[in-house]
């Protein structure tokens, strides 16, 4: 009833999942900074999340942790689990999972992934997710997770339909107040949850992402920023200080930089002050 990707990229770990199931993000994903990530699905055993994260934290490999945990579970043949650790990845599909069910796992050194699904339209869902993950090299981690989910959804996804999706990822120093939460998003009940999750991810990155493509606030750009801010009622001699006032009011303070103005903040400022035609 669910398809997911569990992955690592550098120091980031995360899970993206979609299902014809209410609030799938409340059940399937877990991740811990410096340790790993887990997805439990198909008659999900939520206790696997803490158990597997704990085993990874104690130094067990993903495959070793998964084998030990499932061996102790009398319901293991109904389960499906993906695990990624610091240097390993593993997936498990029980023999009693509803068809089509299966997965793939690989550790390539700096990156690793486990992709799995059950009650899918066919193996093409997992295959499409793997291709999308591999083709998205170079993109931000959370975007890569979502790209894999989009590909799985487009390939057929859950054979029963769509209802919910979620993305949870961690990385040292990321997120609001450098909490380490790179993304924490859920679409609990929606006609097109994977698309809605993408919209929320774009918003999340705007509010909590790090500054990017920063341009110095000098010359004509400083004049433009000062003039646009004045149109919004924010005035002063120093455009950096005025920009900080406006950005704080708009909740964009995470994207402020002492070196100038972030490209996405500039885009938002221009959108808020359209030029007359």
């Amino acid at each position: 009833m669910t398809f997911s990707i569990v992955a690592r990229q550098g120091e980031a770990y995360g899970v993206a999942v979609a299902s014809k199931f209410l609030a799938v993000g409340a059940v399937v994903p877990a991740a811990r900074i410096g340790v790993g990530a887990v997805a439990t699905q198909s008659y999900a055993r939520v206790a696997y999340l803490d158990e597997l994260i704990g085993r990874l934290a104690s130094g067990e490999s993903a495959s070793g942790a998964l084998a030990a945990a499932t061996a102790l579970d009398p319901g293991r043949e109904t389960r499906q689990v993906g695990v990624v650790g610091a240097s390993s990845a593993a997936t498990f599909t029980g023999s009693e999972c509803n068809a089509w069910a299966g997965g793939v796992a690989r550790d390539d050194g700096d990156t690793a992934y486990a992709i799995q699904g059950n009650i899918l339209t066919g193996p093409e869902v997992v295959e499409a997710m793997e291709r999308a993950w591999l083709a998205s090299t170079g993109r931000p981690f959370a975007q890569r997770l979502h790209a894999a989910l989009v590909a799985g959804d487009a390939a057929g996804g859950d054979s029963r339909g769509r209802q919910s999706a979620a993305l949870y990822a961690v990385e040292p120093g990321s997120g609001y107040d450098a909490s380490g939460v790179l993304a924490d998003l859920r679409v609990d009940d929606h006609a097109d949850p994977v698309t809605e999750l993408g919209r929320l991810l774009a918003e999340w990155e705007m509010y909590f992402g790090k500054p990017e493509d920063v341009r110095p606030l000098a010359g004509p750009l400083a004049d433009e920023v000062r003039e646009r801010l004045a149109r919004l009622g924010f005035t002063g001699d120093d455009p950096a200080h005025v920009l900080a006032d406006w950005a704080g009011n708009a909740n964009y303070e995470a994207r402020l930089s002492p070196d100038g103005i972030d490209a996405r903040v500039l885009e938002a400022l221009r959108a808020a002050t359209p030029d007359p035609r």
Side-chain angles (χ1 to χ4, degrees):
M1 60 184 177
T2 305
F3 54 102
S4 67
I5 176 169
V6 185
R8 181 189 76 244
Q9 178 174 293
E11 294 186 282
Y13 293 93
V15 180
V17 58
S19 181
K20 179 64 172 68
F21 185 84
L22 181 71
V24 70
V27 176
V28 170
R32 184 187 299 174
I33 291 174
V35 176
V38 178
T40 176
Q41 56 201 50
S42 181
Y43 301 98
R45 183 173 182 268
V46 178
Y48 273 154
L49 299 176
D50 285 343
E51 181 179 354
L52 287 164
I53 291 290
R55 287 181 176 277
L56 292 173
S58 69
E60 293 185 32
S61 67
S63 58
L66 189 50
T70 54
L72 297 172
D73 177 16
R76 60 185 172 274
E77 296 304 332
T78 67
R79 322 278 195 205
Q80 194 168 51
V81 191
V83 186
V84 168
S87 58
S88 56
T91 187
F92 170 83
T93 298
S95 62
E96 297 174 22
C97 284
N98 292 317
W100 185 87
V104 61
R106 181 176 299 168
D107 187 334
D108 294 323
D110 188 54
T111 65
Y113 57 88
I115 299 170
Q116 48 282 313
N118 61 91
I119 318 186
L120 303 183
T121 56
E124 66 274 6
V125 176
V126 168
E127 293 165 1
M129 293 175 71
E130 183 176 27
R131 285 195 301 271
W133 168 262
L134 295 173
S136 63
T137 300
R139 292 177 61 185
F141 180 58
Q143 292 181 20
R144 295 189 73 189
L145 292 174
H146 183 253
L149 212 60
V150 168
D153 190 53
D158 191 320
S159 63
R160 301 165 307 157
R162 302 176 173 93
Q163 187 170 8
S164 66
L167 194 157
Y168 183 69
V170 297
E171 182 182 40
S174 295
Y176 182 75
D177 196 29
S179 64
V181 178
L182 179 63
D184 185 2
L185 299 166
R186 282 172 42 176
V187 179
D188 287 344
D189 191 14
H190 196 280
D192 190 1
V194 173
T195 299
E196 176 65 5
L197 187 67
R199 184 190 70 81
L200 291 176
L201 178 58
E203 289 292 302
W204 177 283
E205 291 177 335
M206 181 62 195
Y207 286 107
F208 305 130
K210 298 176 182 178
E212 54 189 291
D213 299 328
V214 175
R215 296 172 58 184
L217 270 177
L221 181 58
D223 293 337
E224 177 193 352
V225 167
R226 187 184 293 108
E227 188 274 330
R228 291 184 184 276
L229 290 169
R231 279 195 254 163
L232 296 172
F234 293 84
T235 60
D237 294 331
D238 186 343
H241 288 165
V242 182
L243 176 63
D245 289 342
W246 173 74
N249 187 70
N251 293 320
Y252 298 151
E253 60 268 23
R255 286 190 168 273
L256 289 173
S257 169
D259 299 321
I261 185 168
D262 164 86
R264 293 185 65 173
V265 170
L266 178 58
E267 180 182 354
L269 177 60
R270 287 170 171 167
T273 54
D275 295 320
R277 295 184 178 180

